[in-house]
């Protein structure tokens, strides 16, 4: 986008109201569900959101970055807002937020996971703009538990909580042919995650 | 296949030598890599393996069952052969066998995982003929550890070892953008799985 070189992104970004931004993210996710990542075009997003393509590129730089940002901002509860005062309480909130995903959401994420192998820039955008902030929020939540004395600062499992959680979500349908519902995930916290952390 | 009704599968199956069966499974996996599950036909398998389609259906009943059986039999080391005498030793063997998968293997499994959402009969065949035997072998391995007194018979994490392992394999590329290599998996056993089991 040579025409937007030199434009300060922050200044431009501030022109969209938060409401308008939310609206736009919802529309991107809606389109993504309808046509899938490969067939999604910036033209279609511009048309659906009544924006100019120049605006989209100025604010989000690329399709994968816009998609990853839209997914992050349309999540029901951001992990960084969770702070119940106990590790168990926090982890329970984390999985309850994750488990109310509909089959439609799950299909969307499966489609995206598949697309990452064809589109390395999507893979990078999802990791940087969607997964890394979630992992950072989980780390902050675990650090609070360490500070409260609930887990040892050098517990070897500390770096693997995202992996354990990810396993719970992915393995349940694969191994048990059932969705990772709230009951299962809450049991998994008590049976696996807290014991692994020595909590 | 009405023409094969009443034929005793055991009798028929015994007509193939183990060498011929292995050859056939290798050819099925090779074809699967070349064309993917959706485009794989029993005709192509029959042609490649110089078998009749009637033989294939008689022995394996359906394409998904043949594919799942072929995948199971082309694994380098069956989990049920692992018995090192200690839980840690056994789990290390399990992940070492899993971690020498090539990127080609990983792509094959990703393709299949994707196909399961379109083909419920594939999903069922993989679960029954590939995943369930592996889970049973893991259970037997854990039962030996319980019998040796290495873990408590009522350790809550006992039923979730496949889920923890699955998480390690899936989360590593997703979260860390790296393959689940042997070093990482061996660390994961010591940091997560053994502590979760209270071993």
């Amino acid at each position: 986008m040579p025409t937007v070189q030199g434009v300060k992104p922050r200044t431009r970004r501030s022109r969209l109201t938060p409401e308008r931004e939310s609206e736009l993210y919802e529309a991107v996710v809606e389109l993504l569900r309808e046509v899938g990542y490969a067939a999604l075009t910036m033209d279609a997003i511009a048309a659906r959101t009544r924006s100019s393509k120049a605006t989209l590129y100025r604010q989000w730089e690329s399709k994968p970055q816009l998609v990853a940002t839209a997914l992050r901002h349309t999540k029901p509860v951001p992990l960084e807002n969770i702070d119940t005062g106990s590790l168990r309480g926090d982890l329970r909130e984390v999985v309850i937020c994750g488990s109310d995903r509909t089959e439609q959401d799950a299909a969307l994420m499966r489609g995206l996971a598949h697309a990452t192998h064809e589109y390395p820039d999507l893979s990078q955008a999802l990791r940087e703009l969607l997964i890394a902030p979630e992992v950072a929020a989980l780390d902050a939540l675990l650090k609070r538990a360490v500070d409260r004395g609930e887990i040892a600062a050098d517990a070897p499992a500390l770096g693997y909580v995202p992996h354990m959680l990810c396993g719970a979500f992915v393995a349940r349908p694969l191994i048990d042919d059932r969705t990772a519902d709230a009951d299962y995930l809450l049991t998994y916290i008590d049976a696996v995650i807290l014991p692994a952390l020595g909590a």
Side-chain angles (χ1 to χ4, degrees), chain A:
Chain A
M1 297 297 299
T3 54
V4 298
Q5 295 257 331
V7 172
K8 288 182 205 149
R10 301 259 162 219
T11 318
R12 290 291 180 173
R13 173 157 296 195
S14 66
R15 289 200 184 172
L16 284 191
T17 63
E19 290 73 24
R20 175 78 181 116
E21 240 185 74
S22 293
E23 220 178 82
L24 207 141
Y25 292 141
E26 304 261 347
V28 170
V29 174
E30 198 179 87
L31 263 172
L32 195 56
R33 286 190 211 284
E34 289 171 21
V35 302
Y37 182 78
L40 182 70
T41 62
M42 289 297 250
D43 281 310
I45 297 170
R48 176 73 60 99
T49 60
R50 281 154 289 127
S51 322
S52 75
K53 253 169 68 174
T55 304
L56 297 180
Y57 278 111
R58 196 156 55 223
Q59 300 247 18
W60 292 281
E61 280 189 35
S62 68
K63 171 177 129 177
Q65 285 172 288
L66 173 51
V67 164
T69 310
L71 288 168
R72 173 145 178 81
H73 283 88
T74 49
K75 290 198 63 172
V77 180
L79 291 195
E80 47 271 48
N81 292 4
I82 294 172
D83 188 4
T84 65
S86 80
L87 174 59
R88 184 164 184 266
D90 283 359
L91 289 175
R92 290 172 69 90
E93 287 291 309
V94 169
V95 303
I96 289 168
C97 296
S99 70
D100 63 2
R101 294 192 325 185
T102 59
E103 171 52 31
Q104 205 191 20
D105 286 329
L108 177 72
M109 294 314 291
R110 279 200 303 270
L112 278 171
H114 196 67
T116 56
H117 300 291
E118 250 181 283
Y119 305 98
D121 55 353
L122 171 64
S123 176
Q124 194 188 339
L126 289 175
R127 204 159 30 243
E128 287 176 8
L129 301 171
L130 185 66
I131 297 172
E134 300 271 278
V135 170
L138 263 180
D139 282 343
L141 177 162
L142 290 164
K143 196 185 167 308
R144 289 199 307 270
V146 169
D147 292 344
R148 283 190 302 259
E150 290 186 82
I151 33 179
D154 60 354
L158 266 179
Y160 297 105
V161 174
H163 306 70
M164 286 188 260
L165 281 171
C166 177
F169 281 100
V170 173
R172 178 68 158 172
L174 213 58
I175 295 171
D176 307 316
D177 194 19
R178 301 182 60 178
T179 56
D181 56 22
D183 277 351
Y184 156 79
L185 290 165
L186 293 173
T187 306
Y188 187 83
I189 289 173
D190 288 334
V192 172
I193 302 182
L194 294 173
L197 288 166

